[in-house]
Each structure stands twice: as structure tokens, then as C-alpha cells.
Amino acid sequence: MPNGAQALMKTLVDAGIEVCFSNPGTSEMHFVAALDSEPRMRAVLALFEGVATGAADGYARMADKPAATLLHLGCGLGNGLANLHNARKGKVPVVNIVGDHATYHTRYDAQLQSDIETVARNVSPGFVRTSTRTAELCGDAVEAIAAARGYPGQVATLILPADVSWGEGGLPCPPPPPPHADPADDACVEAIAEAIRSGRRTALLLGGRALREADLLAAARIAAHSGVKLLAEVFPTRLQRGAGLPPVERIAYMAEMAGVQLAQIEELILVDAKAPVSFFAYPGKKSYLAPEGCRVHTLATPSQDTTASLEKLVAALGAGQAEPWLQPAQRPGRPRGKLTAPKVCKAVGHLLPENAILIDEAITSGLMLSAMTAGAPRHDLITLTGGAIGQGLPNAIGAAIACPERPVLALIGDGTAMYTIQSLWTMAREQLNVTAIIFNNASYSVLNVELERVGADQAGPKARSQLDLRGPVLNFAQLAQGMGVHGVRVDTAEDLVKALEYALAQPGPHLIEVLVPESLSGARRKLLPYLLRALPSLPQPVAGALKRKLAP
Amino acid sequence: MPNGAQALMKTLVDAGIEVCFSNPGTSEMHFVAALDSEPRMRAVLALFEGVATGAADGYARMADKPAATLLHLGCGLGNGLANLHNARKGKVPVVNIVGDHATYHTRYDAQLQSDIETVARNVSPGFVRTSTRTAELCGDAVEAIAAARGYPGQVATLILPADVSWGEGGLPCPPPPPPHADPADDACVEAIAEAIRSGRRTALLLGGRALREADLLAAARIAAHSGVKLLAEVFPTRLQRGAGLPPVERIAYMAEMAGVQLAQIEELILVDAKAPVSFFAYPGKKSYLAPEGCRVHTLATPSQDTTASLEKLVAALGAGQAEPWLQPAQRPGRPRGKLTAPKVCKAVGHLLPENAILIDEAITSGLMLSAMTAGAPRHDLITLTGGAIGQGLPNAIGAAIACPERPVLALIGDGTAMYTIQSLWTMAREQLNVTAIIFNNASYSVLNVELERVGADQAGPKARSQLDLRGPVLNFAQLAQGMGVHGVRVDTAEDLVKALEYALAQPGPHLIEVLVPESLSGARRKLLPYLLRALPSLPQPVAGALKRKLAP
């Protein structure tokens, strides 16, 4: 009869959990030992827990099923908390396995003892359980798996005391039934169809699972038939976009700009999305962004089947034969000359391969990315769902493991990259096809913007120094090499294009450090973000003129 | 009238909090801006929150007063949790300032919204407060400071909503009264004196604040007068040791060995320490380590004045004139030949400068460090109080800032170093006199030991791969250079000595990567830890023979 850990391992893989992103310690040694009892489980070692949790997040976004994490007591969970927060906000399924002291040991309050459940509830409010008996461990695991992959997806945490893991008498359990969700009911669909027919200015706000092809096509049919505007939440978990897919305008990060995008909307229809709110609060500015008097409807909650709900709405409106507008294929030209952040985005748009996975955590430097890749070959875009930076590099690990045949490009800000820089080592160890582009502008650039937006722009040199990453300037190419990743540093568009072509042609991970000036400074800093995020929603002549002015 | 942040800044420095280890975001921009209003506050930027919290921990251990941290909402706190755990377990004062959304913004559940208080309680159970009014902010801060620096020292968390920070009408408050603790009462002292006089085998177990010179001298007088054994807790917050100070034997990490150390003890007297328990649980082994029948007394709790309590015990025993045994000055010779971990420890013992701060997070590779530095010049030793690895490099930052005139040596394992490797950048930026020695044995070596200790030693190749840091081997010298720190890699004792001499002679940070074989493998792995940790307590001829066999 297997021990607890061995039975758990079998239960996990039987339920389709075939990857475990791990950073183990002593209390997890039996789980680690059990890896060899189960050839179907792939264990991917991370050197820091935030890498493991972010990788599990990225994996699930692309695999549409959870991976497991293996974390070492409360402190390991703490180190993984930020990226679990991102998964929670993105409604991404993750099954945490957090090792704990043996049940009889906790009362001695040894050095690593802490209250794991409380911390876990912060990121997995829907399912936290400490398994206390070996015979019941696999039943607990099945419930965790069911909770994680149900609708909406969520983080589930199973706390595994060492003696429950090593105890004899483990009983593997069969997998939980597949997740199921119902569509919106008829009355709800009819009420929303009625609102659309009213002729009032209407927008469909798509989020969560509603940003995949089937949903986008249904929504685009409705748009074509009824003239509703299509919007996407500001930070999508996973957005399918590019040539041949219906384009959808993302709500801007800047509340001021989002206000412009939403200003005329009288009916806002939510599909696995929340009514938009400002990312942060700013003195004298409002937090809730839907205009006054705008009626908000929910077509599908995160617990419902968005695709079926949208199809019902298509049918109710008679939009089934409407021709959705699809993004035409279109790439920007090859950038030239001294590098700037927009030129980097242009190079990505110029070279983005078919079926790529694009991870955007470039904050200010990525402002032009959406515009520059809009007509690139079809790709998936992954963004910072919870705002806890340090997500992009770990996400890239998980995405590459979920989709080994697809190229992964991760565009990451310098400040952001440093939170989980240990990711590079795992990329090298697993020889993942990830190209990380690190924007080195030697600044927490977004905070220079925010300093002014919050009205604290009288800040002096000490304040500015807190947003300044110079003295010394980081060398990411060297950091990459120190972790076994091929790394280069470039400061011209020509060298970037060469490096990117090389990286995309050669297997294994690559890091390209791009030296760019801060995208935004002084007066431009105040104005540009509003304009840039607005590009997709501006009338074409204005947008065209702006693009010519701003783009490289 | 100052705004909330400006008033808070003044209140902090008036109470002696003159350093803030920060990793800010948008919600902390007013606090950042307020830095320029207060020249007495030094802000030290970290690229990851675990660096900031670990630096605050190291600072307070050496400065004997708290620093502030500045963290960005719940996720920033999460990233800092592991090192706050270490501070909590070490009873180290830290004042966290955690920025939050504006009070009116939280109900919108924006991306970065999470339950900060619950996570904070995990590490600062004694004081968590969300300040909700600008006029009351400084009063809340004074209570936080009082809580942090009282007896026992603790982590206090003040949550600072953005609107409370930017609100007008901040009212600076005067500092709290100095912390105060009473000594043990007469009856308690007399009962313990009586136990000592009984002639039963007695040990004084010193922890927390009782490992500084005054306490050690008092304890050593008692030892000299009454023959009690002096023990220190396994992972001291700060231990003063070296030539001229009374030596004290640390309880071993390995429970099996600690059992040997404690086997004969009939009366165990605790001074700011807990009765020893095993770090982890192991199948079939006991967690509570004091022998059966051993009576446990508490001379001073962590809330009491240990120095005065020990002095009272000295007086009660009439030990005031007893001559304490002091460690004679004695250094190991210069190591030669191919590097091993013990030779690295030998080199440190050979060269340790006067009045150094020694940080030990070398896990298996540091096994010989205690023995090799026992007779070195007087120094302070800082260890991993909470078991959450990734403490050493951040602690070094804080210690160097608290004591700019003292050299800091941090001995760190390779696996451990990677949790908070971003520390190197802050060391470079602040030009701190830190020499980090990274033991690169390309392994989570301690876990290879633990795998066997927990009885999971039937592990196969997949399990072993989870403890293996090869493929690729990290290059720490390159990582250091990528963060602006002078870094070298050595694999002979001669080169190490040269590099260490250079690092100690030149200002600013240095990293020396030592390539060493895993200290422990196969059969030796099973046996050696027990023996090595035992060295200080073994009879001199046995210890001498062992040292000759094991040392370089």
C-alpha cells in the first residue's frame, strides 16, 4: 500500500495534474521521494517560490488546467503569495501543496512554525484545507482539484503535514467530475437583448474566459449586427488576438483614459468581467469608472459558461449570420536607429512568429505593444492580472511548459524583472523556448508617472532616488549568463532585430536586454500615457497621425 | 500643516527610526515624497520586498532599535513575509509601513486589493493597525513603535491608506517612552538558585537578548561558581563571541545531537529562551528535546530584563567574585590546496577582522564555522532565527547600515542566496562594507541529508534532481557583476585567502564565490553532521582528533 505522498501523486496525475512547480524543504521530502513512483508527474524546480507559483499561473492560463505547486510551510507560501494573488485575480486554477510540520509537532512552535491557513486564505479563499489523516488525504486532494478547476477557476490550497505524507495507508482517489457551468438563463439573455435593441449606446465588456476565439467571434457578431462596442478588461488573463481574430479594445490602465473610453456608454454588459474601476485611487478622481446613469448588466458571471451565454445572446438578437469584423494581417516595418521602447515594440510586431505566446509586463515601456502587434499573426496575450509585479518571467516558464511547440516572448520591465529574476535559471534548466526582452531604462518609470498623478510631484531628490534604478545600472545580460541563459545587451534597433531573429530561430531560452531611455519624461510623461492607451479607440486619422509622431 | 505622510516621517525620526528600507508603489508615493521633508530619514531602496524586510531585521539586531520598512499593499507584504517571520522568531523589532488603497477605494476590489491585515497578523500578531484618519496617523505610529521596540521585540505593522497619507492635517506625535522590562522577582530567583545549589546537573539556556556580553559574563560567573553548563539556543538572533568573551555551546540543529547535548541535564534554566524542540519532526523521533524528568525553570521570559535577572541570580548564588572562563585568542592556520567548505570556514577564522559582524546562513557548508572562529577576535554572530532561508544577504545590508564602521561577512549557501539575490544591488548602491561568501556546491545539500533523516532515502533520480542545482550551475560572480558588485570565483584555498584579504582591505561590497564539493555525501552525510555540531561539547582529545581528521 502506498504512503500518503505516493497516493497523492497518483491522485494528482489521474486528475490531469501532470506538472508540479516545486521549491521543497524538509517537510516535503516524502512528496519529493514519491515523484519517482509516478512517471507521469513532471517536477520543475524553482529557486524561489514566487517563480513556482507564477509558473503554475502561466501554465494553467495556457493549459486550461491546473498545475500543482510544492511549497515549504508558511514562509514558502508567503514567498509565493504575490503570484498566487495574480492567479486569484485572474481566476486561474492552481493547486498548492504546502508542506507542514507533522501534526504532533506544531504544538512545539518550532522555528518554521506559523499559521499557514490564514495566509493561504488570502489567495485561496474558496479552498484551504489541512489534511490530517493519510487515509483521507486523497479525498481532500480531489476536493482541492475540483475547487481549483471549477467555475470560476481559483487557487486551492492543500496543507500537507509531514506525517500525513509519510504515513502508510494512502488511498488514491479517482478524479473529480469535469467542471461544469451553466449559461445565462433565458430571462437574463432576453433582458440584455432588449437593452441592446433599445438603441442606447452599449458596450460588451469581456473578461476572464470570454477573451478566447469562440467568445470573441460571438461578441463580434453581436457588434456587427447591433453596433455594440467591444471592450476587454484592462488586464486580461489570456486574450487571443492578432490577424484573423476580432479585435477588442482594452480598457486603459489610466482611469482618466478609461473614462474617455467609457464616456458615452449607456448600457454596459459584463461577460466574466467586473464593472471597471480605477487601478489605484487618486486625489479628487473617481474610483468607479462607468459613467453616471450607465446601466450595468451581467450576461455571464465568472461562474457561468461565457461561450454558451454569448451564443444565446447571438441567437436572441438574430445575429448568427452577421459577419464579424476580423483584424487584417498587418505588421509594422523594421525599426532602425537608436533604440527606444516603442521601437522595441515595433520589432516585436515586425517579427512575432505564428502562434506565439506574448507576455506583457513591460509597464510603461510596453505602451506601444498593443498597437504594434494588433495585426501580427494570431497569438495569445498574457497580462498582469493582479498588479503584483514579478509575474511575467514565471508565467513564461509555465506557458512554455504547457505549450512546448509555441514560442514564448516575455516583455518585462527592469524593475519588474528583478522580483523573480531567479526564473531564468529554471528556463535554462528546462531548456524552455522563451525569449525574454528586458527593458532597461534604469527606472521604476511608472512610478515617476504615478508620483505626478497622485499629486506628489513636488517630490525632491530623495523621493526621486527611490524610483531610480541607476547607481549601479543592472546588467541583465550578465544576470542571464550567471543563470545559464544566453543573454545579450543591445542599444540599436538593428542589433535588437538581429538578436530577436537569432533567439526565435534557436531553441532554448534567450534574454535580450534592451537599453532604452525612460519612455516618458517631463511634460510628455503627463500627456503621453493617456494618448497612447487611447490609440485603439481614437478616430483613425488622429490615431494615424499620433502613431507617425510617436512610433519609431 | 503637514500632510499625513510628512507628519508620520517626523514622528518616526523623532522616535529614533532613521532608516526606511523601501520598495514602494503608487499607494506609497506621498510617503516617498515626504522623504525630502525630513533630512534625518535615510531611505534605502530594495528591488524586492524580502530584501527590505530582511535588511530591517539585520539593522535592528545590530542597532538595537527598529528601522521602518515601506511595502506596497498586501502583495508587497507577502513578498516580505519570510524575512519578517525570521524577525518575529528572533524577537526583533521592525515597524512595517504597508501602503494601502485609499479608504474609499477598497470596496471596489481593484486588482491589487487583498486582505492586508490578515497577512500582517501572521508576522506581527501583537500589533496590526490600519490607520483610518490623518489626524490619528501619528498616534497610531507611536503605538506601533512602542509595540515593536518593547519587550520582547516584535514586528509591528501599520497599514497606511493612500488618502490618510495624502490627507492634510497631519499631527506629529512625540516619541513613546523608552521600553522597560522588569527582572525576575526574588522568589523566582531564589527558587532557581536553590535548584542550582541542589547539585543536580544544571544548564542555563540563553537566548534572545541574553547572548550579549553582560549576560554572558553573568552566566559565566554562575558557571564558574556553580558548575552549571552554558547553552545557547540553536539559532541566536545575535550572539557575541570570540576571544575574551565567555564561550557558550549552541544547541545543535540536529535533534539527535541536541539529545546528546541535553542528555544529562536535570535542571534546565531558561533565560529569554524556549525549552529546546526539534527543528523538524522525523518519523519515530521525539520533538521535545529536554530529557524526561528534566525540570524546566524560567529565570527570565522574553518580556523580562535578562541582564538584571542574571545579576540577581549571581548575587543570590554569591557568584559575584567568580572568575568567568573566557575564550582565549586562537586562530586556525592558513588553509591550502583545493577548496572544501571546512577550508573556507578555516580561512574566515584565519582572517576574521576585529569587531566583525558574521552572518551564518551557510547551512551544511558552514558546519565548521563555529569551531573555526571560536577564538577569533570578538565578533557578533547573526543566524537564521526563523528557518526561512534568504535571510543572510538582506541581514548583511541592515547590519552594515547599522554599523558602518564594522566589517560584515556573510556566509551563504548557494540555494539560500538565490531567494534574495537582489540584495547585491542594494549593497552596491549603498556601497556597504559587506563581503558575501557564497558556497557553490550546486546542491540543496541539507535536503540530501534531510531526505535520509526523514526516512525517504529510497528516493530515485527525479527526487534527487529536486535537490540538485546543476544544469546549469549558477555563476554567482557573474550575478554579482550584473548587480554592480565586485565578484570573484575561486576554487583553491590560496585564491580564497587572497580574495578575502582584498575584500577586507577595500571598501564597498564584495562577493566571493567558493566552488566547493558537497560537504556531505553518502555515509559521511549520515554521520558527520552529528559529530561536527558536537565538536564544542566533546571532550577535548576527541574533538581534537576529529578536527584534525575533518579540517583542511
Side-chain angles (χ1 to χ4, degrees):
Chain A
M1 188 174 275
N3 67 20
Q6 289 160 342
L8 174 58
M9 202 65 77
K10 176 167 166 46
T11 300
L12 289 170
V13 291
D14 284 349
I17 299 188
E18 299 162 326
V19 181
C20 175
F21 296 99
S22 73
N23 187 261
T26 298
S27 39
E28 294 77 46
M29 282 300 104
H30 283 86
F31 187 94
V32 167
L35 286 169
D36 288 285
S37 71
E38 185 43 85
R40 293 172 294 167
M41 179 63 87
R42 176 176 180 182
V44 177
L45 181 62
L47 298 184
F48 173 68
E49 293 88 346
V51 176
T53 56
D57 176 32
Y59 175 91
R61 293 189 196 208
M62 294 313 303
D64 276 328
K65 65 177 189 177
T69 65
L70 180 64
L71 306 173
H72 185 46
L73 296 103
C75 293
L77 178 62
N79 279 338
L81 212 64
N83 273 328
L84 292 171
H85 170 89
N86 287 323
R88 172 170 80 88
K89 292 289 185 167
K91 295 166 277 185
V92 179
V94 173
V95 175
N96 291 321
I97 297 173
V98 182
D100 193 5
H101 285 310
T103 51
Y104 58 82
H105 193 66
T106 54
R107 70 189 169 103
Y108 296 109
D109 193 30
Q111 285 84 347
L112 270 168
Q113 177 73 28
S114 69
D115 175 4
I116 305 176
E117 288 196 2
T118 307
V119 174
R121 240 171 241 119
N122 194 265
V123 287
S124 51
F127 189 96
V128 177
R129 185 171 303 166
T130 301
S131 204
T132 55
R133 294 181 39 162
T134 301
E136 289 163 13
L137 170 59
C138 294
D140 291 334
V142 165
E143 285 185 58
I145 295 163
R149 71 184 196 185
Y151 284 69
Q154 64 177 319
V155 178
T157 302
L158 181 66
I159 300 169
L160 176 56
D163 54 339
V164 174
S165 184
W166 76 51
E168 294 301 317
L171 297 168
C173 285
H180 172 79
D182 291 317
D185 64 32
D186 296 346
C188 167
V189 171
E190 190 40 51
I192 288 172
E194 196 51 49
I196 292 174
R197 288 190 210 104
S198 74
R200 285 158 53 93
R201 280 181 293 265
T202 303
L204 270 174
L205 175 53
L206 309 171
R209 305 190 199 224
L211 293 169
R212 313 288 185 89
E213 182 172 16
D215 293 56
L216 292 172
L217 283 170
R221 280 197 185 90
I222 295 166
H225 178 271
S226 311
V228 309
K229 185 172 180 176
L230 297 189
L231 294 171
E233 61 190 348
V234 51
F235 287 117
T237 301
R238 177 179 169 192
L239 169 62
Q240 297 192 314
R241 68 193 292 269
L245 284 171
V248 51
E249 181 186 322
R250 278 167 65 190
I251 301 275
Y253 165 76
M254 302 267 178
E256 301 88 334
M257 191 55 233
V260 174
Q261 291 177 291
L262 294 163
Q264 305 301 318
I265 305 301
E266 297 166 293
E267 308 276 345
L268 182 64
I269 299 164
L270 307 177
V271 190
D272 196 354
K274 282 176 48 180
V277 298
S278 177
F279 200 94
F280 290 108
Y282 302 92
K285 293 175 185 159
K286 65 182 196 168
S287 294
Y288 181 75
L289 301 178
E292 244 178 277
C294 173
R295 296 203 307 171
V296 177
H297 312 262
T298 298
L299 176 65
T301 68
S303 300
Q304 289 180 301
D305 182 333
T306 56
T307 318
S309 301
L310 282 162
E311 290 297 353
K312 282 181 77 167
L313 186 56
V314 167
L317 291 166
Q321 299 309 311
E323 200 60 48
W325 191 75
L326 303 179
Q327 171 70 47
Q330 188 184 9
R331 284 181 188 272
R334 182 179 285 254
R336 301 190 190 284
K338 191 155 172 50
L339 265 186
T340 60
K343 285 189 201 175
V344 177
C345 297
K346 188 174 182 183
V348 170
H350 184 69
L351 292 175
L352 194 74
E354 279 289 341
N355 214 20
I357 299 167
L358 189 56
I359 296 174
D360 175 14
E361 201 187 15
I363 324 284
T364 58
S365 293
L367 283 174
M368 294 296 292
L369 187 65
S370 268
M372 290 297 180
T373 55
R378 182 195 166 109
H379 58 278
D380 285 85
L381 175 70
I382 283 178
T383 76
L384 184 58
T385 45
I389 58 177
Q391 175 199 35
L393 292 173
N395 268 194
I397 292 171
I401 286 174
C403 306
E405 304 306 320
R406 299 180 62 177
V408 178
L409 267 84
L411 276 68
I412 314 283
D414 48 1
T416 298
M418 288 306 291
Y419 287 76
T420 45
I421 193 71
Q422 305 90 339
S423 303
L424 298 173
W425 183 82
T426 299
M427 290 179 191
R429 174 144 148 145
E430 302 289 330
Q431 281 300 296
L432 303 177
N433 291 322
V434 174
T435 300
I437 298 179
I438 312 289
F439 289 87
N440 191 343
N441 61 15
S443 169
Y444 284 131
S445 178
V446 68
L447 293 184
N448 274 312
V449 178
E450 296 287 35
L451 198 60
E452 284 156 11
R453 291 181 76 213
V454 300
D457 51 352
Q458 77 293 9
K462 276 168 78 181
R464 292 280 171 198
S465 81
Q466 295 298 298
L467 317 180
D468 178 8
L469 304 184
R470 286 170 301 187
V473 171
L474 291 155
N475 185 317
F476 286 94
Q478 247 173 343
L479 294 178
Q481 288 154 18
M483 286 183 262
V485 168
H486 172 252
V488 296
R489 183 179 230 193
V490 298
D491 64 356
T492 69
E494 289 76 8
D495 285 350
L496 168 61
V497 167
K498 203 160 66 178
L500 193 48
E501 284 173 337
Y502 178 86
L504 293 170
Q506 301 296 324
H510 301 266
L511 181 141
I512 304 172
E513 175 182 17
V514 291
L515 297 179
V516 293
E518 244 190 286
S519 332
L520 310 166
S521 58
R524 294 183 75 218
R525 196 189 288 146
K526 295 201 182 191
L527 191 62
L528 275 186
Y530 305 63
L531 295 174
L532 289 168
R533 286 282 184 202
L535 275 180
S537 61
L538 291 177
Q540 192 49 44
V542 182
L546 260 172
K547 272 188 202 165
R548 277 188 299 277
K549 185 169 160 43
L550 302 173
Chain B
M1 192 177 270
N3 67 19
Q6 290 159 342
L8 174 58
M9 202 65 76
K10 176 166 166 48
T11 301
L12 289 170
V13 290
D14 284 350
I17 299 189
E18 299 162 325
V19 181
C20 175
F21 296 99
S22 75
N23 187 261
T26 297
S27 38
E28 295 77 47
M29 283 300 102
H30 283 86
F31 188 93
V32 167
L35 286 169
D36 288 285
S37 71
E38 187 42 87
R40 293 171 295 167
M41 179 63 87
R42 176 175 181 181
V44 177
L45 181 62
L47 298 183
F48 173 68
E49 293 88 346
V51 176
T53 56
D57 176 32
Y59 175 91
R61 294 188 195 208
M62 295 312 302
D64 275 328
K65 66 178 187 177
T69 66
L70 180 64
L71 307 172
H72 186 44
L73 296 103
C75 293
L77 178 63
N79 279 339
L81 212 64
N83 273 329
L84 291 172
H85 170 90
N86 288 322
R88 174 171 78 89
K89 292 290 186 166
K91 295 167 277 183
V92 178
V94 174
V95 175
N96 291 321
I97 297 173
V98 182
D100 193 5
H101 285 310
T103 50
Y104 59 83
H105 192 67
T106 54
R107 70 189 170 103
Y108 297 107
D109 193 30
Q111 285 84 349
L112 270 168
Q113 177 71 29
S114 70
D115 174 3
I116 305 177
E117 288 196 3
T118 308
V119 174
R121 240 170 242 119
N122 194 264
V123 287
S124 51
F127 189 96
V128 177
R129 184 172 304 167
T130 301
S131 204
T132 56
R133 295 180 41 161
T134 302
E136 290 162 13
L137 171 59
C138 294
D140 292 335
V142 165
E143 285 184 58
I145 296 163
R149 70 185 196 185
Y151 285 69
Q154 63 178 319
V155 179
T157 302
L158 182 66
I159 300 169
L160 176 55
D163 54 340
V164 174
S165 184
W166 77 51
E168 294 302 315
L171 297 169
C173 285
H180 172 78
D182 291 317
D185 65 32
D186 296 348
C188 168
V189 172
E190 189 41 51
I192 288 172
E194 195 52 50
I196 292 174
R197 286 188 212 107
S198 75
R200 285 158 53 94
R201 277 178 297 262
T202 303
L204 268 174
L205 175 54
L206 309 172
R209 306 189 199 224
L211 293 168
R212 312 289 186 86
E213 182 173 15
D215 293 57
L216 292 171
L217 284 171
R221 281 199 184 90
I222 296 167
H225 179 271
S226 311
V228 308
K229 184 171 180 176
L230 296 190
L231 294 170
E233 60 190 348
V234 51
F235 287 116
T237 301
R238 177 178 169 193
L239 168 62
Q240 298 192 312
R241 67 194 293 270
L245 284 171
V248 50
E249 180 186 323
R250 279 167 64 191
I251 302 275
Y253 166 76
M254 302 268 180
E256 301 88 333
M257 190 56 232
V260 175
Q261 290 176 290
L262 294 162
Q264 306 300 319
I265 304 300
E266 296 166 294
E267 309 276 345
L268 182 65
I269 299 163
L270 306 177
V271 190
D272 195 354
K274 283 175 49 181
V277 298
S278 176
F279 199 94
F280 290 108
Y282 302 92
K285 293 175 185 158
K286 66 181 193 169
S287 293
Y288 182 77
L289 301 178
E292 245 178 279
C294 172
R295 296 201 309 170
V296 178
H297 312 262
T298 298
L299 176 65
T301 69
S303 301
Q304 288 180 302
D305 182 333
T306 56
T307 319
S309 301
L310 282 161
E311 290 298 351
K312 282 180 79 167
L313 186 56
V314 168
L317 291 166
Q321 300 309 311
E323 201 60 48
W325 192 74
L326 305 179
Q327 172 69 46
Q330 186 184 12
R331 284 181 187 270
R334 182 179 284 254
R336 300 188 190 284
K338 195 159 169 46
L339 265 186
T340 60
K343 285 190 203 176
V344 177
C345 298
K346 188 175 182 183
V348 170
H350 184 69
L351 291 175
L352 194 73
E354 279 290 340
N355 213 21
I357 299 167
L358 189 57
I359 296 175
D360 175 15
E361 201 187 15
I363 324 286
T364 56
S365 293
L367 284 174
M368 294 297 290
L369 186 65
S370 269
M372 290 298 181
T373 55
R378 182 195 167 110
H379 58 278
D380 283 86
L381 176 71
I382 283 178
T383 77
L384 184 58
T385 45
I389 57 177
Q391 177 199 34
L393 292 173
N395 268 193
I397 292 171
I401 285 175
C403 305
E405 305 306 320
R406 300 179 61 175
V408 178
L409 268 86
L411 276 70
I412 316 284
D414 48 1
T416 296
M418 288 305 292
Y419 286 76
T420 45
I421 192 73
Q422 305 92 336
S423 303
L424 298 173
W425 183 83
T426 299
M427 289 178 192
R429 176 147 148 141
E430 302 289 330
Q431 282 300 297
L432 304 177
N433 291 323
V434 174
T435 299
I437 298 178
I438 312 290
F439 290 87
N440 191 343
N441 61 17
S443 168
Y444 284 132
S445 179
V446 66
L447 294 183
N448 274 312
V449 179
E450 295 288 35
L451 198 61
E452 284 157 10
R453 289 181 77 212
V454 300
D457 51 351
Q458 77 293 11
K462 277 169 77 181
R464 290 283 171 197
S465 81
Q466 295 297 298
L467 317 181
D468 177 9
L469 304 184
R470 285 171 300 187
V473 171
L474 291 155
N475 185 316
F476 286 93
Q478 250 174 339
L479 293 177
Q481 287 154 18
M483 286 183 262
V485 168
H486 172 252
V488 296
R489 185 179 228 192
V490 298
D491 64 356
T492 68
E494 288 76 7
D495 285 350
L496 168 61
V497 168
K498 202 159 67 178
L500 193 49
E501 283 172 335
Y502 178 85
L504 293 171
Q506 300 298 322
H510 300 266
L511 181 142
I512 304 172
E513 176 182 15
V514 292
L515 298 179
V516 294
E518 246 191 284
S519 333
L520 312 165
S521 58
R524 292 184 77 217
R525 195 188 292 148
K526 295 200 184 196
L527 191 62
L528 274 187
Y530 305 62
L531 294 175
L532 288 170
R533 286 284 185 201
L535 276 180
S537 59
L538 291 175
Q540 191 50 43
V542 181
L546 259 172
K547 272 188 203 169
R548 276 188 298 279
K549 186 167 158 44
L550 302 172

